[in-house]
Amino acid sequence: MRKFIQQTALAGAGLIMANPLSLFAGENAANGAFVGNIKSRGYAAKDASGILSLWEFERRPVGDNDILIEIKFASICHSDIHQLKGDWGKQQYPQVPGHEIAGIVAAVGRNVTKFKIGDRAGIGCMVSSCMKCESCKHGEEQNCENNATVYTYGNPESGSPTGITQGGYANNIVVNEHFAIRIPENISLEEAAPLMCAGVTTYSPLMRANFNRGDKVGIAGIGGLGHMAVKLAVSKGADVYAFTTSPDKVNDIKGFGAKEVIVVDDIAKLKPYRHKLDYMVSTIPAQYDIESYATVVKRGGFYTQLGMPVGQQLSLNVFAFARTGVNYNNSLIGGIPETQEVVNYCADKKIAPKIEVIKASQINDSWAKVANKQARYRYVIDTATI
């Protein structure tokens, strides 16, 4: 009898190792319903103070089309700070930020085909959309025509134990497989994480601009997004002109491949570049003299604004801008296919963000440094320290 019990126990352990989902499945798993919420812990804002602290919470069960990701790294985006401080509108708390996520698949739902347990996976700014409209069906889920895009944190989420989506400053996340990105083996997880937002947000408008090799491309604001924009534009053959207000970044920016770095400590520094550039991307996340910056672009050229100021409003003198003869547009992240594309592209071309890996205990200090333009250039949280 003792030998039989031992053999049975070993066989059961083997089945669990072969199918970890047995730990989540209930007796009614025939219809794909996995019972039991997933316990999680993360760093959350409890109010609009911008101070984060450890919080234990639960995520929804792993559904038929879901995967459970054990988060390894999550990077800090300036958007995290804006949202959690209520700069873009009133928030529900507690709320865990983070939409630049990289980790390992720990469980899969029964209908999942894109991932298997042990795969490397990333999550960016979105975790759901209607998947039925033309935009969603053509890989532009961020532009869902039914306004059903669900962002990775702070959005109402059906089935969430907390009522809203909770982000990546945590040890795990449950997400529909469609919204997860496959991370190739030839890039580290910590370097892949910032590509989920900073990478695709800059890659998307640069690819739409369809500039030619040797064209003059301007990048204004060289932070987490801006430094990736420089690297990506250089990799596509552009002559990059980088505009920054931080003199101590000049050598770094040249190292990223920029042809010229202009320190804009006075708006008059823009005058020598009047109508010189073919295209311009601004990642500046604050009010600024956009009309003067636009004058560096040739008449008929395009100027893309990426940075989102407080209140999501950017003051624009219509007459002054009209006189520049420049076409103005905005861009918002990128769809899932494009996010996969930029991750693969950066992995293959060895284009990596410049990062500093931090412990969870350093999050609040790092937030302050991001707000004060001291980040060089993306803080990445080692979630094993949460």
Side-chain angles (χ1 to χ4, degrees):
M1 177 63 72
R2 181 181 299 162
K3 185 176 181 180
F4 173 77
I5 293 172
Q6 289 173 338
Q7 289 175 336
T8 303
L10 286 171
L15 286 172
I16 290 175
M17 291 303 292
N19 181 19
L21 275 180
S22 62
L23 294 173
F24 301 95
E27 291 182 0
N28 59 340
N31 62 8
F34 296 101
V35 300
N37 293 334
I38 307 299
K39 292 186 181 298
S40 186
R41 64 183 184 277
Y43 268 67
K46 310 294 176 60
D47 52 41
S49 66
I51 303 299
L52 277 65
S53 58
L54 189 63
W55 180 47
E56 293 189 355
F57 62 103
E58 292 184 346
R59 300 197 186 265
R60 71 169 189 265
V62 178
D64 288 359
N65 302 304
D66 293 336
I67 62 173
L68 171 67
I69 298 174
E70 180 185 350
I71 300 173
K72 298 297 184 182
F73 296 97
S75 42
I76 295 173
C77 179
H78 205 152
S79 299
D80 302 340
I81 302 170
H82 277 308
Q83 179 160 325
L84 272 295
K85 293 184 74 172
D87 291 345
W88 294 342
K90 189 176 180 180
Q91 298 297 309
Q92 179 177 325
Y93 303 99
Q95 186 178 149
V96 178
H99 56 211
E100 295 183 342
I101 302 164
I104 304 296
V105 176
V108 297
R110 64 175 56 196
N111 295 338
V112 170
T113 59
K114 186 175 174 182
F115 294 93
K116 64 181 184 302
I117 294 168
D119 282 351
R120 293 148 54 93
I123 301 296
C125 300
M126 305 174 286
V127 292
S128 186
S129 69
C130 82
M131 300 302 294
K132 297 176 181 178
C133 69
E134 288 302 305
S135 291
C136 287
K137 288 191 290 187
H138 289 88
E140 296 285 343
E141 299 89 347
Q142 77 278 17
N143 297 323
C144 178
E145 295 156 29
N146 291 317
N147 294 317
T149 303
V150 177
Y151 294 100
T152 306
Y153 56 88
N155 271 203
E157 181 184 42
S158 176
S160 170
T162 67
I164 58 172
T165 51
Q166 302 291 349
Y169 294 15
N171 65 324
N172 59 36
I173 190 168
V174 177
V175 65
N176 183 292
E177 66 164 336
H178 175 83
F179 291 87
I181 305 301
R182 295 184 64 87
I183 299 176
E185 294 291 338
N186 54 336
I187 187 171
S188 69
L189 290 177
E190 56 266 42
E191 290 175 328
L195 302 180
M196 304 299 156
C197 172
V200 70
T201 300
T202 51
Y203 181 84
S204 183
L206 287 170
M207 295 307 100
R208 288 200 305 272
N210 197 30
F211 56 81
N212 297 313
R213 180 170 293 275
D215 280 357
K216 298 177 176 64
V217 173
I219 310 294
I222 314 300
L225 269 68
H227 93 288
M228 281 304 304
V230 171
K231 290 189 172 194
L232 289 166
V234 167
S235 77
K236 291 291 186 178
D239 289 342
V240 173
Y241 292 74
F243 298 84
T244 180
T245 57
S246 303
D248 61 331
K249 291 183 178 179
V250 171
N251 288 335
D252 281 347
I253 299 168
K254 288 181 178 178
F256 301 150
K259 181 181 179 66
E260 195 168 337
V261 182
I262 302 92
V263 178
V264 191
D265 49 10
D266 186 324
I267 208 70
K269 294 287 185 68
L270 298 173
K271 288 183 179 179
Y273 301 90
R274 185 176 178 83
H275 300 315
K276 184 173 184 176
L277 308 186
D278 298 290
Y279 176 59
M280 181 78 147
V281 171
S282 170
T283 71
I284 300 172
Q287 296 294 332
Y288 70 107
D289 188 348
I290 186 173
E291 297 85 6
S292 293
Y293 273 84
T295 62
V296 306
V297 181
K298 294 176 181 177
R299 296 187 185 281
F302 286 82
Y303 189 106
T304 300
Q305 178 67 29
L306 295 180
M308 293 286 183
V310 173
Q312 299 179 335
Q313 300 290 324
L314 184 62
S315 297
L316 181 69
N317 183 315
V318 177
F319 180 73
F321 202 98
R323 290 187 62 193
T324 68
V326 172
N327 298 290
Y328 175 85
N329 64 83
N330 291 85
S331 186
L332 177 67
I333 58 175
I336 296 302
E338 201 165 37
T339 306
Q340 186 67 68
E341 184 178 315
V342 71
V343 171
N344 293 347
Y345 179 81
C346 288
D348 292 342
K349 300 292 184 181
K350 307 300 180 188
I351 300 170
K354 187 173 176 62
I355 66 172
E356 179 181 342
V357 177
I358 64 169
K359 296 179 181 179
S361 60
Q362 297 173 275
I363 290 174
N364 289 311
D365 179 59
S366 297
W367 269 34
K369 289 179 177 176
V370 170
N372 292 324
K373 300 191 290 186
Q374 295 174 295
R376 298 295 185 270
Y377 286 79
R378 214 48 156 187
Y379 290 116
V380 179
I381 306 160
D382 178 355
T383 59
T385 63
I386 293 178

